[in-house]
Amino acid sequence: MHELAVTESILEIANRHAAAAGATRITDIHITLGKLSSIVDDSVQFYWDIISQSTLAQGATLHFNRVPARMHCNDCGVEFEMLAELSPCPECGSFQLKILSGDEFFLESIEIEKEAGETQ
Amino acid sequence: MSVNRIPVVEKILSANDSIAALNRKRFDETKTFAVNLMASPGAGKTSVILQTIAALTGRLKLGVIEGDTAPVTIDADRVIDAGMPAVQINTGGDCHLDAPMIDSGLKQLPLEELDLLIVENVGNLVCPAAFNLGTHANVLIASIPEGDDKPYKYPAIYRGLDVLIINKIDLLPYVRFNMDYFRTGVEALNPGLTTFAISCTTGEGINAWTDWLVQRSAELKR
Ligand SMILES: Nc1nc2c(ncn2[C@@H]2O[C@H](COP(=O)(O)OP(=O)(O)O)[C@@H](O)[C@H]2O)c(=O)[nH]1
Ligand SMILES: [Mg+2]
Ligand SMILES: [Zn+2]
């Protein structure tokens, strides 16, 4: 699985932004993950606990914000939330669908600690 | 001590994406039409490449990057035997090729001389879909013995395709494969997808595929 490469990338991005902000520690990492994305968050968490050791991100909690799959029907124009993969338009039964949301995968924000007295 | 929330909003695979963009720039500059060929193990990636070489020799100059999880050069050797330059990339067990691996492979190919580059990705229907290589087209080979339910089980890879090749159609009489069911799944994931049904054994349908390659590589040179 490619979750190791993905987790390494999360760590690199988080540590880079934390270092630039003068952080002493990262406490939380917020990841936005579309429902259509094939990433398995359990295995990201598994790798995370191993590879984040002895970095600013050691012990940080990963939060996965799952974005629902919203589709637009190209035939009847209706917008709907797709609850299961490969479901047709609930109005007209068409499969001619465009993804409006649900394929995102990005690091949204991090929460960090800094030494007191440091300027923002 | 103070706590701060820092907005990041950075795509998780952005490092891969920026190298992919550099790869694409090189393909465009050298006018090399580049194809990312994906499939499960044994679907016929190497067979399609060899058939493509046979059909295009004398018309287009073709190069191949072979991705493999193991340090074997079987596939690359077959391409070189067929008279085209090939490099082997060993992913060290990784389940997919990524853009930096393509970058290193390109250093060993005479890109300026090539009209067409085919990348044989690692045999896998999940992981390669997540990694943009910078190629112009994502192509999947689905083969008849794999069964007709694969679009339903691996939707992500089908969504990102530019071309679908259905290989081993010579086996249709011997295998239970409902073509309508298969195509309904494909159509739901990628409406209007360009599709070629071929057999590497009989040669059926190969010309339609290679004509498409010739046309796309000519468009790049305009
Ligand atoms: N019957 C039949 N066998 C094929 C066809 N294409 C490839 N094969 C066989 O499928 C096996 C795997 O092919 P290969 O090209 O090595 O697949 P790869 O692992 O995707 O590169 C080989 O034994 C091929 O001879 C085809 O169109 N029809
Ligand atoms: Mg092969
Ligand atoms: Zn509709």
Side-chain angles (χ1 to χ4, degrees), chain B residues 57-111:
Chain B
T57 297
R59 286 206 277 167
L60 292 185
K61 180 87 171 129
L62 202 150
V64 177
I65 293 179
E66 289 288 352
D68 255 304
T69 56
V72 290
T73 58
I74 301 167
D75 287 354
D77 292 346
R78 291 170 77 190
V79 172
I80 291 165
D81 285 347
M84 295 289 178
V87 295
Q88 180 79 32
I89 295 180
N90 171 18
T91 66
D94 256 2
C95 48
H96 60 274
L97 292 175
D98 61 22
M101 295 178 199
I102 300 303
D103 173 60
S104 69
L106 291 180
K107 295 192 172 82
Q108 305 167 56
L109 281 174
L111 205 55

CSV table of all heavy atoms in Angstrom, one decimal, chain B residues 57-111:
chain,number,residue,atom,x,y,z
B,57,THR,N,7.5,0.3,-35.2
B,57,THR,CA,8.9,0.4,-35.7
B,57,THR,C,8.9,0.9,-37.1
B,57,THR,O,8.2,0.5,-38.0
B,57,THR,CB,9.5,-1.0,-35.6
B,57,THR,OG1,9.5,-1.4,-34.2
B,57,THR,CG2,11.0,-1.0,-36.1
B,58,GLY,N,9.8,1.9,-37.3
B,58,GLY,CA,9.9,2.5,-38.6
B,58,GLY,C,9.0,3.7,-38.7
B,58,GLY,O,9.2,4.6,-39.6
B,59,ARG,N,8.0,3.9,-37.8
B,59,ARG,CA,7.1,5.0,-37.9
B,59,ARG,C,7.4,6.0,-36.7
B,59,ARG,O,7.5,7.2,-36.9
B,59,ARG,CB,5.6,4.6,-37.8
B,59,ARG,CG,5.1,4.0,-39.1
B,59,ARG,CD,3.6,4.1,-39.2
B,59,ARG,NE,2.9,3.1,-38.4
B,59,ARG,CZ,1.6,3.2,-38.2
B,59,ARG,NH1,0.9,4.2,-38.5
B,59,ARG,NH2,1.0,2.2,-37.5
B,60,LEU,N,7.6,5.5,-35.5
B,60,LEU,CA,7.8,6.3,-34.3
B,60,LEU,C,9.0,5.7,-33.6
B,60,LEU,O,9.2,4.5,-33.6
B,60,LEU,CB,6.7,6.4,-33.4
B,60,LEU,CG,5.4,7.1,-33.8
B,60,LEU,CD1,4.4,7.1,-32.6
B,60,LEU,CD2,5.7,8.5,-34.3
B,61,LYS,N,9.8,6.6,-33.0
B,61,LYS,CA,10.9,6.1,-32.1
B,61,LYS,C,10.3,6.1,-30.7
B,61,LYS,O,9.8,7.1,-30.2
B,61,LYS,CB,12.1,7.1,-32.2
B,61,LYS,CG,13.2,6.7,-31.4
B,61,LYS,CD,14.2,5.8,-32.1
B,61,LYS,CE,15.5,5.6,-31.3
B,61,LYS,NZ,15.9,4.3,-31.0
B,62,LEU,N,10.4,4.9,-30.1
B,62,LEU,CA,9.7,4.7,-28.8
B,62,LEU,C,10.8,4.3,-27.7
B,62,LEU,O,11.7,3.6,-28.0
B,62,LEU,CB,8.8,3.5,-29.1
B,62,LEU,CG,7.6,3.2,-28.2
B,62,LEU,CD1,6.6,2.5,-29.1
B,62,LEU,CD2,8.0,2.3,-27.1
B,63,GLY,N,10.5,4.8,-26.5
B,63,GLY,CA,11.4,4.4,-25.4
B,63,GLY,C,10.5,3.9,-24.3
B,63,GLY,O,9.3,4.2,-24.2
B,64,VAL,N,11.0,3.1,-23.4
B,64,VAL,CA,10.2,2.5,-22.3
B,64,VAL,C,10.9,2.6,-21.0
B,64,VAL,O,12.1,2.4,-20.8
B,64,VAL,CB,10.0,1.0,-22.7
B,64,VAL,CG1,9.2,0.3,-21.5
B,64,VAL,CG2,9.2,0.8,-24.0
B,65,ILE,N,10.1,2.9,-20.0
B,65,ILE,CA,10.6,2.8,-18.6
B,65,ILE,C,9.8,1.7,-17.9
B,65,ILE,O,8.6,1.7,-17.9
B,65,ILE,CB,10.3,4.1,-17.8
B,65,ILE,CG1,11.2,5.3,-18.3
B,65,ILE,CG2,10.6,3.9,-16.3
B,65,ILE,CD1,11.0,6.6,-17.6
B,66,GLU,N,10.5,0.7,-17.4
B,66,GLU,CA,9.9,-0.5,-16.8
B,66,GLU,C,10.0,-0.3,-15.3
B,66,GLU,O,11.1,-0.3,-14.7
B,66,GLU,CB,10.7,-1.7,-17.3
B,66,GLU,CG,10.4,-2.1,-18.7
B,66,GLU,CD,9.0,-2.7,-19.0
B,66,GLU,OE1,8.3,-2.9,-18.0
B,66,GLU,OE2,8.7,-2.9,-20.1
B,67,GLY,N,8.8,-0.3,-14.6
B,67,GLY,CA,8.8,-0.3,-13.2
B,67,GLY,C,8.6,-1.7,-12.6
B,67,GLY,O,7.7,-2.4,-13.1
B,68,ASP,N,9.4,-2.1,-11.7
B,68,ASP,CA,9.2,-3.4,-11.1
B,68,ASP,C,9.6,-3.3,-9.6
B,68,ASP,O,10.4,-2.6,-9.2
B,68,ASP,CB,10.1,-4.5,-11.8
B,68,ASP,CG,9.3,-5.4,-12.7
B,68,ASP,OD1,8.3,-6.0,-12.2
B,68,ASP,OD2,9.6,-5.5,-13.9
B,69,THR,N,8.9,-4.1,-8.8
B,69,THR,CA,9.2,-4.1,-7.4
B,69,THR,C,10.4,-4.9,-7.1
B,69,THR,O,11.1,-4.6,-6.1
B,69,THR,CB,8.0,-4.7,-6.6
B,69,THR,OG1,7.8,-6.0,-7.1
B,69,THR,CG2,6.7,-3.9,-6.7
B,70,ALA,N,10.8,-5.8,-8.0
B,70,ALA,CA,12.0,-6.6,-7.7
B,70,ALA,C,13.1,-6.2,-8.7
B,70,ALA,O,12.8,-5.7,-9.8
B,70,ALA,CB,11.6,-8.1,-7.9
B,71,PRO,N,14.3,-6.4,-8.3
B,71,PRO,CA,15.5,-6.1,-9.2
B,71,PRO,C,15.7,-7.1,-10.3
B,71,PRO,O,16.7,-7.7,-10.4
B,71,PRO,CB,16.6,-6.0,-8.2
B,71,PRO,CG,16.3,-7.0,-7.1
B,71,PRO,CD,14.8,-7.0,-7.0
B,72,VAL,N,14.6,-7.3,-11.1
B,72,VAL,CA,14.8,-8.1,-12.3
B,72,VAL,C,14.6,-7.3,-13.5
B,72,VAL,O,13.9,-6.3,-13.5
B,72,VAL,CB,13.7,-9.2,-12.3
B,72,VAL,CG1,14.0,-10.2,-11.2
B,72,VAL,CG2,12.3,-8.7,-12.2
B,73,THR,N,15.4,-7.6,-14.6
B,73,THR,CA,15.3,-6.8,-15.8
B,73,THR,C,14.6,-7.6,-16.9
B,73,THR,O,14.8,-7.2,-18.1
B,73,THR,CB,16.7,-6.4,-16.3
B,73,THR,OG1,17.5,-7.6,-16.5
B,73,THR,CG2,17.4,-5.5,-15.2
B,74,ILE,N,13.7,-8.5,-16.6
B,74,ILE,CA,13.1,-9.4,-17.6
B,74,ILE,C,12.3,-8.5,-18.6
B,74,ILE,O,12.5,-8.7,-19.8
B,74,ILE,CB,12.1,-10.3,-16.9
B,74,ILE,CG1,12.8,-11.2,-15.9
B,74,ILE,CG2,11.4,-11.2,-18.0
B,74,ILE,CD1,11.9,-12.0,-15.0
B,75,ASP,N,11.5,-7.6,-18.1
B,75,ASP,CA,10.7,-6.8,-19.0
B,75,ASP,C,11.5,-5.8,-19.8
B,75,ASP,O,11.3,-5.7,-21.1
B,75,ASP,CB,9.6,-6.0,-18.2
B,75,ASP,CG,8.5,-6.9,-17.7
B,75,ASP,OD1,8.5,-8.1,-18.1
B,75,ASP,OD2,7.6,-6.5,-17.0
B,76,ALA,N,12.5,-5.2,-19.2
B,76,ALA,CA,13.3,-4.2,-19.9
B,76,ALA,C,14.1,-5.0,-21.0
B,76,ALA,O,14.3,-4.5,-22.1
B,76,ALA,CB,14.3,-3.5,-18.9
B,77,ASP,N,14.6,-6.2,-20.7
B,77,ASP,CA,15.4,-6.9,-21.6
B,77,ASP,C,14.6,-7.3,-22.9
B,77,ASP,O,15.1,-7.2,-24.0
B,77,ASP,CB,15.9,-8.2,-21.0
B,77,ASP,CG,17.0,-8.0,-19.9
B,77,ASP,OD1,17.5,-6.8,-19.9
B,77,ASP,OD2,17.2,-8.9,-19.1
B,78,ARG,N,13.3,-7.6,-22.6
B,78,ARG,CA,12.4,-7.9,-23.8
B,78,ARG,C,12.2,-6.7,-24.7
B,78,ARG,O,12.2,-6.8,-25.9
B,78,ARG,CB,11.1,-8.4,-23.3
B,78,ARG,CG,11.2,-9.8,-22.6
B,78,ARG,CD,10.0,-10.2,-21.9
B,78,ARG,NE,8.9,-10.7,-22.8
B,78,ARG,CZ,7.7,-10.9,-22.4
B,78,ARG,NH1,7.3,-10.6,-21.2
B,78,ARG,NH2,6.8,-11.3,-23.3
B,79,VAL,N,12.1,-5.5,-24.1
B,79,VAL,CA,12.0,-4.3,-24.9
B,79,VAL,C,13.3,-4.0,-25.7
B,79,VAL,O,13.2,-3.7,-26.9
B,79,VAL,CB,11.6,-3.1,-24.0
B,79,VAL,CG1,11.7,-1.8,-24.8
B,79,VAL,CG2,10.3,-3.3,-23.4
B,80,ILE,N,14.4,-4.2,-25.0
B,80,ILE,CA,15.7,-3.9,-25.7
B,80,ILE,C,15.9,-4.9,-26.8
B,80,ILE,O,16.3,-4.6,-27.9
B,80,ILE,CB,16.9,-4.0,-24.7
B,80,ILE,CG1,16.7,-2.7,-23.7
B,80,ILE,CG2,18.2,-4.0,-25.4
B,80,ILE,CD1,17.5,-2.8,-22.5
B,81,ASP,N,15.5,-6.2,-26.6
B,81,ASP,CA,15.6,-7.2,-27.6
B,81,ASP,C,14.7,-6.8,-28.8
B,81,ASP,O,15.1,-7.2,-30.0
B,81,ASP,CB,15.1,-8.6,-27.1
B,81,ASP,CG,16.1,-9.2,-26.2
B,81,ASP,OD1,17.3,-8.8,-26.2
B,81,ASP,OD2,15.8,-10.2,-25.5
B,82,ALA,N,13.6,-6.1,-28.5
B,82,ALA,CA,12.7,-5.7,-29.6
B,82,ALA,C,13.3,-4.4,-30.3
B,82,ALA,O,12.6,-3.9,-31.2
B,82,ALA,CB,11.3,-5.5,-29.1
B,83,GLY,N,14.4,-3.9,-29.9
B,83,GLY,CA,15.1,-2.9,-30.6
B,83,GLY,C,14.8,-1.4,-30.1
B,83,GLY,O,15.1,-0.5,-30.9
B,84,MET,N,14.3,-1.3,-28.9
B,84,MET,CA,14.0,0.1,-28.4
B,84,MET,C,14.7,0.3,-27.1
B,84,MET,O,14.9,-0.7,-26.4
B,84,MET,CB,12.5,0.3,-28.3
B,84,MET,CG,11.7,0.2,-29.5
B,84,MET,SD,12.0,1.7,-30.6
B,84,MET,CE,10.9,1.3,-32.0
B,85,PRO,N,15.1,1.5,-26.8
B,85,PRO,CA,15.8,1.8,-25.5
B,85,PRO,C,14.8,1.6,-24.3
B,85,PRO,O,13.6,2.0,-24.4
B,85,PRO,CB,16.2,3.2,-25.6
B,85,PRO,CG,15.4,3.9,-26.7
B,85,PRO,CD,15.0,2.8,-27.6
B,86,ALA,N,15.3,1.0,-23.3
B,86,ALA,CA,14.5,0.8,-22.1
B,86,ALA,C,15.3,1.0,-20.8
B,86,ALA,O,16.5,0.6,-20.9
B,86,ALA,CB,13.9,-0.6,-22.1
B,87,VAL,N,14.8,1.5,-19.8
B,87,VAL,CA,15.4,1.5,-18.5
B,87,VAL,C,14.5,0.8,-17.5
B,87,VAL,O,13.3,0.9,-17.6
B,87,VAL,CB,15.8,2.9,-17.9
B,87,VAL,CG1,16.7,3.6,-18.8
B,87,VAL,CG2,14.5,3.8,-17.8
B,88,GLN,N,15.2,0.1,-16.6
B,88,GLN,CA,14.5,-0.6,-15.5
B,88,GLN,C,14.6,0.2,-14.2
B,88,GLN,O,15.6,0.6,-13.9
B,88,GLN,CB,15.2,-1.9,-15.3
B,88,GLN,CG,14.5,-2.8,-14.3
B,88,GLN,CD,13.3,-3.5,-14.8
B,88,GLN,OE1,13.2,-3.8,-16.0
B,88,GLN,NE2,12.3,-3.7,-14.0
B,89,ILE,N,13.4,0.4,-13.6
B,89,ILE,CA,13.4,1.1,-12.3
B,89,ILE,C,12.9,0.1,-11.3
B,89,ILE,O,11.9,-0.5,-11.4
B,89,ILE,CB,12.5,2.3,-12.3
B,89,ILE,CG1,13.0,3.4,-13.2
B,89,ILE,CG2,12.4,2.9,-10.8
B,89,ILE,CD1,12.1,4.6,-13.2
B,90,ASN,N,13.8,-0.1,-10.3
B,90,ASN,CA,13.4,-1.0,-9.2
B,90,ASN,C,12.9,-0.2,-8.0
B,90,ASN,O,13.6,0.6,-7.5
B,90,ASN,CB,14.7,-1.8,-8.8
B,90,ASN,CG,14.5,-2.7,-7.6
B,90,ASN,OD1,13.3,-2.9,-7.2
B,90,ASN,ND2,15.5,-3.1,-6.9
B,91,THR,N,11.6,-0.4,-7.7
B,91,THR,CA,11.0,0.5,-6.7
B,91,THR,C,11.4,0.0,-5.3
B,91,THR,O,10.9,0.6,-4.3
B,91,THR,CB,9.5,0.5,-6.8
B,91,THR,OG1,9.0,-0.9,-6.5
B,91,THR,CG2,9.0,0.9,-8.2
B,92,GLY,N,12.2,-1.1,-5.2
B,92,GLY,CA,12.6,-1.5,-3.8
B,92,GLY,C,11.4,-2.0,-3.0
B,92,GLY,O,11.3,-1.7,-1.8
B,93,GLY,N,10.4,-2.7,-3.7
B,93,GLY,CA,9.3,-3.2,-3.0
B,93,GLY,C,8.1,-2.3,-3.0
B,93,GLY,O,7.0,-2.7,-2.7
B,94,ASP,N,8.3,-1.0,-3.4
B,94,ASP,CA,7.1,-0.1,-3.4
B,94,ASP,C,6.1,-0.5,-4.4
B,94,ASP,O,6.4,-1.1,-5.4
B,94,ASP,CB,7.6,1.4,-3.8
B,94,ASP,CG,7.6,2.3,-2.5
B,94,ASP,OD1,7.3,1.8,-1.4
B,94,ASP,OD2,8.0,3.4,-2.7
B,95,CYS,N,4.9,-0.2,-4.1
B,95,CYS,CA,3.7,-0.7,-4.9
B,95,CYS,C,3.4,0.2,-6.1
B,95,CYS,O,2.4,0.0,-6.7
B,95,CYS,CB,2.5,-0.7,-3.9
B,95,CYS,SG,2.3,0.8,-3.0
B,96,HIS,N,4.2,1.2,-6.3
B,96,HIS,CA,3.8,2.2,-7.4
B,96,HIS,C,5.1,2.9,-7.9
B,96,HIS,O,6.1,2.9,-7.1
B,96,HIS,CB,2.8,3.2,-6.9
B,96,HIS,CG,3.4,4.0,-5.7
B,96,HIS,ND1,3.3,3.6,-4.4
B,96,HIS,CD2,4.1,5.1,-5.7
B,96,HIS,CE1,3.9,4.4,-3.6
B,96,HIS,NE2,4.4,5.4,-4.4
B,97,LEU,N,5.0,3.5,-9.1
B,97,LEU,CA,6.1,4.4,-9.4
B,97,LEU,C,5.6,5.8,-9.0
B,97,LEU,O,4.4,6.1,-8.9
B,97,LEU,CB,6.2,4.4,-11.0
B,97,LEU,CG,6.8,3.2,-11.6
B,97,LEU,CD1,6.8,3.3,-13.1
B,97,LEU,CD2,8.2,2.9,-11.1
B,98,ASP,N,6.6,6.7,-8.7
B,98,ASP,CA,6.2,8.1,-8.4
B,98,ASP,C,7.1,9.0,-9.4
B,98,ASP,O,7.9,8.5,-10.1
B,98,ASP,CB,6.4,8.4,-7.0
B,98,ASP,CG,7.8,8.3,-6.5
B,98,ASP,OD1,8.8,8.3,-7.3
B,98,ASP,OD2,8.0,8.2,-5.2
B,99,ALA,N,6.7,10.3,-9.3
B,99,ALA,CA,7.4,11.2,-10.3
B,99,ALA,C,8.9,11.3,-10.2
B,99,ALA,O,9.6,11.3,-11.2
B,99,ALA,CB,6.7,12.6,-10.1
B,100,PRO,N,9.5,11.3,-8.9
B,100,PRO,CA,10.9,11.3,-8.9
B,100,PRO,C,11.6,10.1,-9.5
B,100,PRO,O,12.7,10.2,-10.1
B,100,PRO,CB,11.2,11.3,-7.3
B,100,PRO,CG,10.0,11.9,-6.7
B,100,PRO,CD,8.9,11.5,-7.6
B,101,MET,N,10.9,8.9,-9.4
B,101,MET,CA,11.5,7.7,-10.1
B,101,MET,C,11.5,7.9,-11.6
B,101,MET,O,12.5,7.5,-12.3
B,101,MET,CB,10.7,6.5,-9.8
B,101,MET,CG,10.7,6.1,-8.3
B,101,MET,SD,9.6,4.6,-8.1
B,101,MET,CE,9.3,4.7,-6.3
B,102,ILE,N,10.5,8.5,-12.2
B,102,ILE,CA,10.5,8.8,-13.6
B,102,ILE,C,11.6,9.8,-14.0
B,102,ILE,O,12.3,9.6,-14.9
B,102,ILE,CB,9.1,9.4,-14.0
B,102,ILE,CG1,8.0,8.4,-13.7
B,102,ILE,CG2,9.1,9.8,-15.5
B,102,ILE,CD1,8.1,7.0,-14.3
B,103,ASP,N,11.7,10.8,-13.1
B,103,ASP,CA,12.8,11.8,-13.3
B,103,ASP,C,14.2,11.1,-13.4
B,103,ASP,O,14.9,11.3,-14.3
B,103,ASP,CB,12.8,12.8,-12.2
B,103,ASP,CG,14.0,13.7,-12.3
B,103,ASP,OD1,14.1,14.4,-13.3
B,103,ASP,OD2,14.8,13.8,-11.3
B,104,SER,N,14.4,10.1,-12.5
B,104,SER,CA,15.7,9.5,-12.6
B,104,SER,C,15.8,8.5,-13.8
B,104,SER,O,16.9,8.4,-14.4
B,104,SER,CB,16.0,8.7,-11.3
B,104,SER,OG,15.2,7.6,-11.1
B,105,GLY,N,14.7,7.9,-14.2
B,105,GLY,CA,14.7,7.1,-15.4
B,105,GLY,C,15.0,7.9,-16.6
B,105,GLY,O,15.7,7.4,-17.6
B,106,LEU,N,14.5,9.1,-16.7
B,106,LEU,CA,14.6,9.9,-17.9
B,106,LEU,C,16.0,10.3,-18.2
B,106,LEU,O,16.4,10.5,-19.3
B,106,LEU,CB,13.8,11.2,-17.8
B,106,LEU,CG,12.2,11.0,-17.8
B,106,LEU,CD1,11.5,12.3,-17.6
B,106,LEU,CD2,11.8,10.3,-19.1
B,107,LYS,N,16.8,10.3,-17.1
B,107,LYS,CA,18.3,10.7,-17.3
B,107,LYS,C,19.0,9.6,-18.1
B,107,LYS,O,20.1,9.9,-18.6
B,107,LYS,CB,18.9,10.8,-15.9
B,107,LYS,CG,18.4,12.0,-15.1
B,107,LYS,CD,19.2,12.3,-13.9
B,107,LYS,CE,18.8,13.6,-13.2
B,107,LYS,NZ,17.6,13.4,-12.3
B,108,GLN,N,18.4,8.4,-18.1
B,108,GLN,CA,19.1,7.3,-18.9
B,108,GLN,C,18.5,7.1,-20.2
B,108,GLN,O,18.8,6.0,-20.9
B,108,GLN,CB,19.0,6.0,-18.0
B,108,GLN,CG,19.6,6.2,-16.6
B,108,GLN,CD,19.2,5.0,-15.8
B,108,GLN,OE1,19.5,3.9,-16.1
B,108,GLN,NE2,18.6,5.3,-14.7
B,109,LEU,N,17.6,7.9,-20.7
B,109,LEU,CA,17.0,7.7,-22.0
B,109,LEU,C,17.3,8.9,-22.9
B,109,LEU,O,17.3,10.0,-22.5
B,109,LEU,CB,15.4,7.6,-21.8
B,109,LEU,CG,14.9,6.3,-21.3
B,109,LEU,CD1,13.4,6.4,-21.1
B,109,LEU,CD2,15.2,5.2,-22.3
B,110,PRO,N,17.4,8.6,-24.2
B,110,PRO,CA,17.7,9.7,-25.2
B,110,PRO,C,16.4,10.4,-25.5
B,110,PRO,O,15.8,10.3,-26.6
B,110,PRO,CB,18.3,9.0,-26.4
B,110,PRO,CG,17.6,7.6,-26.3
B,110,PRO,CD,17.4,7.3,-24.9
B,111,LEU,N,15.8,11.2,-24.6
B,111,LEU,CA,14.5,11.7,-24.7
B,111,LEU,C,14.3,12.6,-26.0
B,111,LEU,O,13.2,12.6,-26.6
B,111,LEU,CB,14.2,12.6,-23.4
B,111,LEU,CG,12.7,12.7,-23.1
B,111,LEU,CD1,12.0,11.4,-23.0
B,111,LEU,CD2,12.5,13.5,-21.8
